DNA sequence: AATGAATGAGAGTTCATTCAT
DNA sequence: TATGAATGAACTCTCATTCAT
């Protein structure tokens, strides 16, 4: 399973191999259960080399978290275009989000499951990333309210809570979708969009939100 | 920091002291970072006694998880009365949930953060508890739909997703509320209720859901 | 399996129960693998009581060894009558020996297997018992030689070796007989008597030693 | 006491050093009383290295037992040449046996004393080695009987007992010889040969067996 | 006479980390 | 650039032993 043992590779390449191995191992076993031996072996490299390049287990983990967080935020950013109405933007963002987490389950696991349970430092890293996304969503909600020509009496504090709820729901759904065979990113996004945009009340009344055509 | 060293207590009492200390330690540090020494010291007891009563670190953790899960489910159950309309039932459930998680932040941390990241066995334990809550919510949505005289065309699969999203949002909000000073259980419940029941669409249109008077 | 829990017994009786339990446990598990918990439970008594009566694990073991050694030597002594010719005396002694070891396998195990592997002190205890038996055998060989009107040119040192060999063979055969189903004490004694008295040379030549009628 | 701390040795060498230290420690203290710390220190190495190379205390002990058993059997095998008459073969085997046990007292102690008292697995290992020797002796007795043109009426069962007695006597004598200063391997072998081949009866009658000239 | 409650001390084992080459 | 050899420190767990009643 480990990478093919090719000797004398340029540093950048080796480093990526190690990070890949680390994300996979951390994602599947968690921070403490993942041993440096495991990671080095999966990377097809000796342990001292891992230390030479990545310094320490903590640093290695931090680098993984940073890499995965950056990639996730970038993916969401790339999925959204300003211009279309708010619900469309939200839909695009969610679709990008679920698509990325589905394609990088170990990275998602590292971010959502393990980074938060292992020490302030890593939790902070994740919180920072999360904040970016929450800000984006908050911004979206604000735009939507303005666009509705409705001067919202929603205090900022409430909006923060709403964004938090939305993001939280998305996170849970991502984990659930990854663990439930047969659930696609589109389905996850549609479910959440219905839930969040139309709301249970509307759904009960037969009014659902419809995803745009592919 | 440790409990006052009171000697010679009956077994049942000591056992609860140990469990309290364990939940606190596990909740704040996670399974692996929490050492049996830490727990014993916080319980004001020697390590061998912990082993004598609770068997092993795994067993101790399992007992904690079980205890907290049972307590949480019981709290939610106790908060809800059948009879009132679905939105009221949902509100009551959420309020009970957020109240309990706010009062037992370490227990919530154990359940939501640590039990899910440490081994299939514990994850299963939590999944079982979660399943009870999800079932309750699913049931609620079904009732609401029927009460609305609306034969819902929502397939079961979608309902599962909705319940998952709702519970996921609640879980995230609970963690967020615990970490954000000044957010009360009522506020968290109201935010989620608005988000989930009315939906962002309605909120944008100025139609919010109102919590019942205290 | 443990003794019936009868409360408030006279000390002497309780002590024997404990020693029985200890011999059984030590015999089957060895000194270190036998825990004081095991012994106390098998004796149907609380651990502090064992300490109250027998002092410590070492003392308990020593007492077991002493008791079993005394019993074994007594059994052999009781089996032999002076007067009959040497081969008959030897036969009687061996028969008594194998009979006793067969009836007290755990005691034999304690003496032969475990006491010798656990510290000088216990080994010494066993060596003392052994010395008695070896002396008896040495004496027997001397008598026999004199009775044969043959002034033996066997130096004392050789006689010691012969007695050692005989006793060693007997010990091995006892363990072997206990472990081999279907081998009786009489058979073991006959085998050894043939081997030791007639010798392989005579046996090859068709000259065997015959046990006396029952 | 410990070996001189020579750093950075190839694995194979270090491994032998560890095994030497282990045999010595196990032989003198027994399985449980020998701690991994003791062994590591005697080997001039840190404990983790012992684990890295030999896996666990059980594995280490098993390796010791296997090594010593193999060496002992090999020594006996190498001492015997087929061709000469049975008594000569037996003499050669015994001499080789006593020579080896005298030169490796700790190894002998591990095999005879400790391996048999510590768990089925190790006992089995020793039993297997013993079986080889017993088979060799049984074979020898059979050959001798045939060579004597004497169709022996010794049933197989009796032969097994005889071989057992002979081997048992040899084992006891080996331990005795190691513990008794001044007893050489030759003397031990001669004593046993006299005892076993001529028999006490013949010895009493002044007929002894004579060892071949050196 | 007897025991439930409690512990000091030490064992085996693992792991992140570093030399020396 | 890369690694085989090696370890300090910590952790889980067990056990003989005692105290207070």
């Amino acid at each position: 399973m480990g990478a093919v043992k090719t000797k004398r590779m340029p540093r950048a390449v080796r480093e990526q191999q190690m990070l890949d191995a680390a994300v996979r191992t951390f994602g599947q076993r968690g921070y403490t259960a993942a041993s440096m031996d495991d990671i080095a072996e999966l990377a097809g490299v000796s342990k001292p080399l891992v230390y030479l390049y990545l310094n320490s287990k903590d640093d290695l983990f931090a680098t993984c978290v940073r890499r995965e967080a950056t990639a996730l935020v970038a993916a969401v950013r790339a999925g959204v275009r300003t211009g279309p109405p708010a619900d469309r933007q939200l839909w695009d963002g969610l679709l990008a989000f679920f698509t990325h987490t589905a394609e990088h389950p170990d990275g998602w696991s590292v971010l959502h499951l393990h980074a938060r349970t292992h020490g302030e430092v890593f939790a902070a890293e994740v919180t920072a990333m999360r904040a970016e996304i929450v800000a984006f969503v908050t911004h979206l909600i604000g735009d939507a309210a303005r666009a509705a020509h409705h001067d919202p009496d929603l205090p900022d504090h409430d909006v923060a809570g709403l964004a938090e709820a939305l993001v939280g729901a998305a996170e849970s759904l991502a984990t659930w979708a990854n663990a439930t065979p047969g659930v696609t990113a589109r389905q996850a996004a549609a479910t959440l969009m219905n839930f969040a945009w139309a709301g249970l009340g509307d759904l009960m009344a037969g009014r659902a939100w419809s995803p745009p055509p592919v």
Side-chain angles (χ1 to χ4, degrees), chain A:
Chain A
M1 251 305 178
V4 178
K5 260 204 178 178
T6 321
K7 301 228 159 180
R8 306 271 151 182
M9 322 233 338
R11 168 159 184 160
V13 179
R14 272 275 191 261
E15 225 172 275
Q16 284 310 311
Q17 287 181 354
M18 291 178 195
L19 287 177
D20 289 344
V23 167
R24 192 146 142 202
T25 309
F26 282 136
Q28 281 169 8
R29 305 236 257 274
Y31 180 84
T32 0
S35 81
M36 294 298 270
D37 277 285
D38 294 338
I39 295 171
E41 190 188 342
L42 184 61
V45 151
S46 78
K47 234 186 329 179
L49 199 59
V50 179
Y51 278 89
L52 189 62
Y53 285 179
L54 277 320
N55 238 356
S56 76
K57 193 183 185 183
D58 262 41
D59 281 9
L60 173 54
F61 190 62
T63 306
C64 289
V65 170
R66 217 133 38 212
R67 189 182 86 165
E68 296 304 313
T70 306
L72 176 53
V73 170
V76 173
R77 277 238 178 77
V80 182
R81 293 284 165 266
T82 58
D87 63 338
R88 176 61 196 262
Q89 284 191 44
L90 185 54
W91 163 259
D92 286 341
L94 289 176
L95 192 55
F97 176 77
F98 287 119
T99 303
H100 186 88
T101 55
E103 280 168 356
H104 305 85
D106 291 325
W108 174 242
S109 186
V110 166
L111 288 178
H112 183 59
L113 246 39
H114 302 298
R116 316 184 78 176
T117 56
H118 197 79
E120 308 280 316
V121 193
F122 307 113
E125 207 97 30
V126 175
T127 300
M129 167 206 72
R130 222 170 171 277
E132 267 198 69
I133 297 193
V134 170
F136 168 70
V137 172
T138 306
H139 181 70
L140 223 61
I141 299 180
D143 276 8
R146 262 186 302 284
H149 299 289
H150 171 70
D151 185 48
D153 49 358
L154 295 171
D156 280 1
H157 197 257
D158 280 13
V159 174
L162 288 173
E164 181 68 34
L166 176 52
V167 172
E171 289 171 338
S172 277
L173 270 188
T175 302
W176 174 73
N178 276 353
T180 310
V183 176
T184 67
R186 272 191 81 82
Q187 283 168 355
T191 298
L192 182 50
M193 201 61 197
N194 255 306
F195 175 73
W197 196 260
L200 291 176
D202 274 8
L203 288 177
M204 296 305 97
R207 295 188 295 271
W209 176 93
S210 315
V214 188

